[in-house]
Amino acid sequence: MANSGADAHRLIIVGAGGCGMMAALVAAGKGVSLLLLEKTDGAGGSTAFSSRGIRAAGSRFQYALGIEDSPEQFARDIFGRNGNESDPALTKRLAEVSGPVADFLADVARIDFTVGEFVFGHSARRAHSWTEDKTITDFLFEAVERQPKIQTRFSTSVLSLQQEGDGTVIGVVTDSGPIQAAKVILASGGFGASQELVSQYIPSLVGVHFPGHYGSTGEGIKMGLSAGAAIENMASFQPYPAYVGPGMRSVSPEVIMSGGIMVDPQGKRFVDETRYPGGLSNGILQLPDKQAYEILDQRLYELLPHYLEEFLTSGLLHQAPTAGQLAGPLGIDAAGLEQTVEEYNKVAGVGADRFGRTPPEPFRAPFYGIKVKAALYHTQGGLKVNTDGQVLRADGSVIPNLYAGGGVATGVSGTGMEGYLPGNGQLASLGLGMLAAEHAAASLMA
Ligand SMILES: Cc1cc2nc3c(=O)[nH]c(=O)nc-3n(C[C@H](O)[C@H](O)[C@H](O)COP(=O)(O)OP(=O)(O)OC[C@H]3O[C@@H](n4cnc5c(N)ncnc54)[C@H](O)[C@@H]3O)c2cc1C
């Protein structure tokens, strides 16, 4: 238990991941005493696995660097990626709140943000990261522990919601009994760890590795459904195309986005790799064993030498003086790979290749290659919510006193895997956590 709370539970938050801890800090900051329930014995959830950065438009950190950006531009990037498939009002609201989320985290969770150069599918520099060797949930949990209005209870699983006859939520039922509350925020994450729900909603992913948190079993979504909520975009997910294997790290997207390629067992490219992560993952999921081979050269290796060296010394990344010689250790076709590199080098720096990609520079020896798989990082569909995170029924009416955010709610990644813009997961988690908590706190304090 982190802290002991002052009074009765006016607000219960289910799940101590990114969304739940953000919501707790925002609500407590507005004077609400609350109970944060977590089924495992620690805070973090899948958010702790996320890369060390969040996307935000309009933060004071961007401003200090003179970066030109706006929530409108951020929303346009999200719509551009998902083909206008996400809810327009929710998307715009999450883009608007992204800057305040970064500023709030800096003030309350004491994160000293820097804004990176690598835009990764965005039209402006908005990746806010930090240099300390901590996950975002380390910072969040430290802030939760400093906040006396938050009472945290670990190893407490929420099983269902308590409702009145008209559907109004009045509390939860946990594995140690019922607890009354004036408002409930479901922040219990997505369903990537539930084989049952994955096979029901995204059957093509059965057998695809999920390297997220084991607590992501979709219970919040199930509770919302039982309470009468509508669900949306349940086949939407965040894929990752360069996953190395259980217990291993993934290859950074920077390698591909800076010129790296992916080939199949014949040594042939199969997609414009810069359609990252969705288009590329989709291509890999069509290949035998849902795996591909990431190829890079000396220039790309030198971009991230400390990071890639680990793969080289562990024998996962192979190095060879020619593309043909690299094929053997990778177990792929040598002639095919040689021809692929030759074709790539012909158009590099000159024009577009047959996939429409413009390679930046020709490959130069030595060559490197590593076997990678497509993975499921996080599900993106869930309960339908409004711009305050209130959970909606199919007729658009609000289920009184019930909120959802993060993996429990529908995100802004459209309907499948290609609509995911990097950062969308944390945006729905931290952004909806803030919006739901602000709304719940305002009505509790009114
Ligand atoms: C490897 C990996 C890399 C990622 N990289 C990125 C990235 O770079 N950018 C990005 O935006 N997103 C990324 N994501 C996705 C992102 O992490 C998620 O979208 C986001 O963290 C979800 O946050 P959440 O708060 O909804 O859930 P979580 O952080 O998973 O928290 C949910 C918590 O609820 C608890 N819980 C579940 N059920 C119950 C219950 N019944 N009762 C009580 N507690 C319960 C869980 O144990 C968990 O602690 C990545 C995900 C993974 C796995």
Side-chain angles (χ1 to χ4, degrees):
M1 193 173 293
N3 300 303
S4 56
D7 58 23
H9 310 303
R10 308 177 67 202
L11 173 62
I12 283 181
I13 298 174
V14 184
C19 180
M21 290 197 281
M22 182 75 185
L25 291 167
V26 170
K30 295 195 177 293
V32 177
S33 296
L34 62 101
L35 183 60
L36 177 61
L37 300 175
E38 166 59 46
K39 74 175 175 183
T40 68
D41 60 3
S46 279
T47 310
F49 295 70
S50 199
S51 61
R52 292 177 185 189
I54 60 165
R55 302 306 190 290
S59 73
R60 64 177 191 249
F61 300 92
Q62 276 188 323
Y63 184 77
L65 290 167
I67 296 168
E68 282 188 28
D69 195 9
S70 67
E72 293 73 27
Q73 189 177 332
F74 190 4
R76 276 198 299 277
D77 287 353
I78 296 173
F79 291 131
R81 178 59 63 96
N82 69 30
N84 295 307
E85 284 183 343
S86 60
D87 179 285
L90 182 64
T91 307
K92 288 178 189 157
R93 189 74 190 106
L94 283 172
E96 266 166 27
V97 86
S98 65
V101 161
D103 291 345
F104 178 91
L105 288 171
D107 294 335
V108 176
R110 302 178 186 168
I111 305 181
D112 186 15
F113 284 117
T114 55
V115 185
E117 302 272 351
F118 181 46
V119 294
F120 196 17
H122 290 251
S123 63
R125 282 176 59 194
R126 55 175 82 109
H128 291 58
S129 58
W130 53 91
T131 49
E132 271 180 271
D133 188 18
K134 282 176 165 184
T135 67
I136 194 163
T137 52
D138 293 335
F139 288 107
L140 284 167
F141 188 59
E142 283 166 15
V144 163
E145 288 197 300
R146 287 191 292 269
Q147 174 49 269
K149 287 191 174 294
I150 304 173
Q151 183 187 351
T152 309
R153 231 178 257 174
F154 290 115
S155 304
T156 304
S157 197
V158 174
L159 307 175
S160 61
L161 295 166
Q162 294 185 67
Q163 287 176 287
E164 289 181 329
D166 66 353
T168 300
V169 170
I170 54 167
V172 300
V173 178
T174 74
D175 50 3
S176 46
I179 313 176
Q180 302 270 301
K183 307 274 175 198
V184 174
I185 299 177
L186 294 172
S188 52
F191 60 90
S194 164
Q195 280 303 299
E196 175 211 337
L197 294 182
V198 169
S199 53
Q200 181 177 350
Y201 293 114
I202 329 178
S204 61
L205 291 188
V206 171
V208 169
H209 197 75
F210 169 67
H213 187 249
Y214 66 95
S216 304
T217 42
E219 284 142 40
I221 295 174
K222 286 184 179 173
M223 285 184 249
L225 274 171
S226 303
I231 48 173
E232 233 181 22
N233 298 342
M234 292 300 283
S236 175
F237 68 98
Q238 173 194 357
Y240 197 78
Y243 176 65
V244 176
M248 298 300 306
R249 290 168 64 184
S250 48
V251 183
S252 164
E254 214 168 333
V255 175
I256 287 291
M257 299 306 282
S258 307
I261 57 171
M262 289 267 191
V263 299
D264 64 15
Q266 284 73 47
K268 299 291 181 190
R269 290 175 59 211
F270 47 90
V271 71
D272 168 5
E273 297 88 346
T274 62
R275 287 173 52 209
Y276 203 107
L280 179 53
S281 300
N282 198 5
I284 297 175
L285 287 168
Q286 317 298 321
L287 297 177
D289 299 325
K290 301 177 173 36
Q291 67 186 25
Y293 304 85
E294 184 160 343
I295 309 294
L296 47 143
D297 72 345
Q298 186 61 26
R299 176 183 71 86
L300 296 167
Y301 183 85
E302 283 166 12
L303 282 180
L304 305 165
H306 301 299
Y307 176 86
L308 291 168
E309 197 180 273
E310 214 180 297
F311 288 122
L312 198 60
T313 48
S314 64
L316 291 162
L317 181 69
H318 301 277
Q319 189 204 47
T322 66
Q325 284 167 289
L326 180 67
L330 287 174
I332 62 176
D333 187 78
L337 184 60
E338 269 174 353
Q339 194 187 353
T340 296
V341 169
E342 207 175 297
E343 284 168 9
Y344 181 92
N345 282 352
K346 257 189 213 149
V347 289
V350 180
D353 62 22
R354 67 194 169 95
F355 300 106
R357 179 180 183 185
T358 308
E361 280 183 39
F363 273 174
R364 64 179 164 87
F367 293 81
Y368 299 81
I370 183 167
K371 184 161 74 180
V372 291
K373 286 177 177 287
L376 159 63
Y377 265 15
H378 208 264
T379 53
Q380 297 284 304
L383 306 182
K384 192 164 168 53
V385 293
N386 65 17
T387 53
D388 291 316
Q390 290 177 291
V391 176
L392 304 176
R393 301 184 179 97
D395 64 5
S397 63
V398 161
I399 299 180
N401 300 339
L402 185 63
Y403 299 82
V408 182
T410 313
V412 290
S413 302
T415 56
M417 81 177 96
E418 301 221 18
Y420 182 86
L421 182 69
N424 276 3
Q426 302 254 39
L427 182 65
S429 169
L430 303 170
L432 271 168
M434 175 175 264
L435 293 169
E438 279 178 347
H439 190 273
S443 56
L444 286 168
M445 303 307 276

